[in-house]
Amino acid sequence: TSTSSRPKSIKNLIDNEIVQLKSDLDLLLTFNENLLHFDSSIVKKAAKTKVENFMKTLSNAIDTQAKVSKGRYCRESKLENLEAASNILNVTEDISRTLASTLDVGSSTCIKLANISMTVMKKQLSDNTVSEWEAGDIKVTLPDQSNIAQEDSSVTVSFTSYNNLGSLMTSNDDFMSPVLSVNVIKTHLHKRSIPLNKPIEF
């Protein structure tokens, strides 16, 4: 007898990739902390490479799932797709925090793939200045302000655009708008959101 094979769970696949990425990044940061005279730029490059490879796998998994969702498992997979998308957005914040820890004030790291773009930047807080980012048709401006700054008056922020993530977040398979994630990195942040005195502009 023949049996139809059910597509692999995208949530399980992504969760496994997230666990592996976090493990790899933790090892890199531990290595960096233990070798005080080690060239930090090597760790910065290695961390970026790990994240790039993770995002390539992520993008391929999303594209594959978008095709599967148009088939016989569409209704059954919608909830799982939404959970997978939520986990992706949550790990984006974790990734941003890790990449930020490899940066000096005045520097940034950028990742640009076919469907995913990410920039993490660290800068000194200044009056009447902004953090700007563009990816495709997306342009974001976040004004500098004291409530997003660290205790050392530095500002660390990440911008990430997922061009194909929307297909996991809606019942509309043809949803094409990119999903944007903006994260402010602070050492002591007890809430998931920060009230802005100067609003973000899109």
Side-chain angles (χ1 to χ4, degrees):
T1 58
S2 62
T3 57
S4 59
S5 59
R6 185 184 180 91
K8 292 181 179 179
S9 162
I10 187 175
K11 180 179 179 297
N12 291 343
L13 172 63
I14 288 174
D15 286 350
N16 290 338
E17 291 292 332
I18 288 173
V19 169
Q20 184 62 53
L21 176 68
K22 287 184 175 181
S23 175
D24 290 344
L25 293 178
D26 285 345
L27 284 175
L28 276 175
L29 295 185
T30 300
F31 180 72
N32 192 37
E33 291 171 357
N34 290 339
L35 296 176
L36 299 179
H37 301 292
F38 189 71
D39 185 352
S40 60
S41 65
I42 296 177
V43 173
K44 175 184 175 182
K45 184 177 180 179
K48 178 182 176 181
T49 299
K50 291 288 185 184
V51 173
E52 280 183 331
N53 291 337
F54 166 78
M55 287 185 166
K56 288 176 184 176
T57 301
L58 197 65
S59 184
N60 290 336
I62 293 171
D63 285 343
T64 299
Q65 185 67 13
K67 295 175 183 176
V68 170
S69 293
K70 294 181 179 181
R72 61 180 297 182
Y73 300 108
C74 181
R75 292 184 180 179
E76 299 176 21
S77 64
K78 289 303 180 184
L79 179 58
E80 183 181 272
N81 287 358
L82 188 58
E83 291 175 351
S86 177
N87 291 346
I88 290 170
L89 293 176
N90 286 335
V91 79
T92 301
E93 181 178 357
D94 296 333
I95 291 171
S96 301
R97 188 175 299 278
T98 300
L99 292 179
S101 69
T102 70
L103 299 178
D104 297 320
V105 175
S107 66
S108 64
T109 187
C110 301
I111 295 172
K112 187 170 181 60
L113 305 174
N115 283 317
I116 303 174
S117 298
M118 170 183 256
T119 295
V120 184
M121 60 181 71
K122 182 179 288 188
K123 56 188 288 190
Q124 198 65 34
L125 177 66
S126 301
D127 293 333
N128 301 318
T129 57
V130 299
S131 298
E132 292 184 316
W133 184 70
E134 289 188 48
D137 295 331
I138 298 176
K139 182 175 181 179
V140 188
T141 301
L142 176 62
D144 290 348
Q145 46 201 293
S146 59
N147 54 331
I148 67 172
Q150 300 269 35
E151 294 178 356
D152 62 356
S153 296
S154 66
V155 172
T156 306
V157 61
S158 76
F159 303 94
T160 310
S161 172
Y162 293 95
N163 288 345
N164 55 353
L165 187 59
S167 61
L168 297 185
M169 303 176 69
T170 174
S171 58
N172 182 359
D173 296 324
D174 297 321
F175 184 86
M176 299 299 292
S177 296
V179 176
L180 175 67
S181 173
V182 179
N183 289 287
V184 173
I185 312 301
K186 296 189 72 173
T187 304
H188 304 293
L189 182 60
H190 303 294
K191 297 180 179 180
R192 292 297 302 272
S193 60
I194 300 175
L196 298 177
N197 296 325
K198 302 175 183 177
I200 191 170
E201 298 177 4
F202 301 94

